[in-house]
């Protein structure tokens, strides 16, 4: 059976799955488990992205201290740039042990594996230093690489940092905490909680099922992206969406469920909008994160926050936190759809709630 959905049906499935419908959830760990992953980004134009994601769901009841506590007691872990429930580590242990992958692997993965092999001395030196003195930042680790990392991007000549991240993927070291923005690394055996190992083929299937549960609706296959994929393989059931080409996979638990919307201000890295192709197809929303653009070329702002109202993305908030002045500066609320007076008031209420949660006074330059 192929389910036939309208765009509104699909949007509501996506919003419910991401816990952005009404009523709000009330438990941080329950939110983390439903979302499956929350991307870590420490840009503080407004607040770190993970904090914004949890605030968008939990509201003023959420405190960043709650996240710190969850990481400290290992209810949550940070792995490969994402916060995950610690029990999900079982879904990666076998993959770590088989790195770069079982059997024949893609050419680029083999190239990376050869680079690690060429720098075996440096890898061993890092492990020995961490064993003696860890946790340590990457800057304190020895660079004895005999073959430097080369790329066309900003990782060029950052051999130790690249090696450390690959050693994390291999399950040898793990993120043990932070000093400010700097990550601290230690031996994985001293960081990760003990737990079972799920075979890779089963783990991949389970991760796809959890990804679909978190997204509600997704493509079976999509372009590969760094970090967490956007596609879900054969998880769920097949669906088509009116006015959108191709087929989708939908979480059957979301079909026919009631919907009560609310207004929410989102992180630019929120999973509701992170897959920009899906965002355009389902929400018909025009948005890009513009922090890497020259100021003169920005349309919406350095770290503009998407605005959700009900099952529609309706605009962006151009906001900047200024802790020194104790202000949340809101330079613009971009209205994409022609908000009614009532809708505009709801968005304004959320802007005020954001300022209150940040402990800042709201300032809207005239």
């Amino acid at each position: 059976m192929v389910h036939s959905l309208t765009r509104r049906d699909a949007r509501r499935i996506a919003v419910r799955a991401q816990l952005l419908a009404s009523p709000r959830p009330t438990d941080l760990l329950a939110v983390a488990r439903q979302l499956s992953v929350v991307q870590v980004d420490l840009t503080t134009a407004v607040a770190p992205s993970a904090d914004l994601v949890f605030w968008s769901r939990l509201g003023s009841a959420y405190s960043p201290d709650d996240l710190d506590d969850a990481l400290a007691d290992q209810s949550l872990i940070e792995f490969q740039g994402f916060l995950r429930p610690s029990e999900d580590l079982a879904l990666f242990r076998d993959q770590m042990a088989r790195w770069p992958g079982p059997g024949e692997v893609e050419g680029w993965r083999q190239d990376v594996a050869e680079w690690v092999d060429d720098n075996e001395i440096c890898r061993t030196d890092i492990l020995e230093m961490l064993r003696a003195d860890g946790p340590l930042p990457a800057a304190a680790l020895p660079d004895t690489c005999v073959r430097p990392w080369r790329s066309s991007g900003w990782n060029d000549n950052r051999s130790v940092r690249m090696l450390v991240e690959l050693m994390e993927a291999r399950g040898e070291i793990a993120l043990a905490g932070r000093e400010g923005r700097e990550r601290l690394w230690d031996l994985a055996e001293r960081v990760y909680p003990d737990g079972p190992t799920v075979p890779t083929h089963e783990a991949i299937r389970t991760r796809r099922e959890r990804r679909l549960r978190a997204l509600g609706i997704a493509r079976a296959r999509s372009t590969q992206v760094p970090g967490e994929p956007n596609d879900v393989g054969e998880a769920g059931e097949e669906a088509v969406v009116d006015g959108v080409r191709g087929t989708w996979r939908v979480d059957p638990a979301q079909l026919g469920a009631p919907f009560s919307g609310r207004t929410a201000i989102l992180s630019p890295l929120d999973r509701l909008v992170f897959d920009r192709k899906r965002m355009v197809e389902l929400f018909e929303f025009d948005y890009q994160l513009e922090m890497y653009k020259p100021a003169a070329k920005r349309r919406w702002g350095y770290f503009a926050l998407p605005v959700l109202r009900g099952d529609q993305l309706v605009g962006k908030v151009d906001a900047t936190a200024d802790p020194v002045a104790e202000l949340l500066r809101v330079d613009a609320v971009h209205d994409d759809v022609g908000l009614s007076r009532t809708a505009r008031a709801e968005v304004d209420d959320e802007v005020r709630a954001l300022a209150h949660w940040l402990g800042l006074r709201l300032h809207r330059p005239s």
Side-chain angles (χ1 to χ4, degrees), residues 6-16 20-21 259-264 272 279 282-285 307-314:
T6 65
R7 263 201 179 101
R8 186 178 74 169
D9 293 334
R11 290 196 302 266
R12 290 185 170 188
I13 286 170
V15 171
R16 275 198 307 266
L20 288 164
F259 181 84
S260 178
R262 61 182 176 88
T263 299
L272 190 74
M279 176 193 73
L282 299 184
F283 291 88
E284 301 175 280
F285 185 57
V307 179
L308 175 73
R309 184 173 186 267
D311 61 33
Q312 291 185 298
L313 291 163
V314 298

Side-chain angles (χ1 to χ4, degrees), residues 7 22 40 47 70 141 152 154 171 173 181 190 193 196 213 217 226 248 256 276-277 287 289 298 300 318 330 340:
R7 263 201 179 101
S22 186
V40 176
L141 299 175
S152 58
W154 55 23
I173 65 175
R181 299 173 64 88
R190 297 203 294 231
R213 185 185 65 185
I217 182 169
W248 298 76
R276 306 297 196 226
K277 187 174 188 293
Y287 179 79
L289 179 58
R298 294 175 191 146
W300 306 303
D318 180 9
V330 176
S340 67

Side-chain angles (χ1 to χ4, degrees), residues 60 182 189:
S60 60
E182 190 73 27
E189 65 202 52

Side-chain angles (χ1 to χ4, degrees), residues 4 14 18 45 103 117 127 138 150 172 197 237-238 254 279 315 323 365:
S4 182
Q18 278 287 295
D117 288 343
L127 290 173
R150 293 281 185 252
E172 296 174 311
T197 297
E237 297 177 0
E238 191 172 3
Q254 289 288 349
M279 176 193 73

Side-chain angles (χ1 to χ4, degrees), residues 11 74 94 108 146 357 361:
R11 290 196 302 266
Q74 293 192 317
D94 192 45
W108 70 270
V146 297
W357 172 69
R361 291 179 290 114

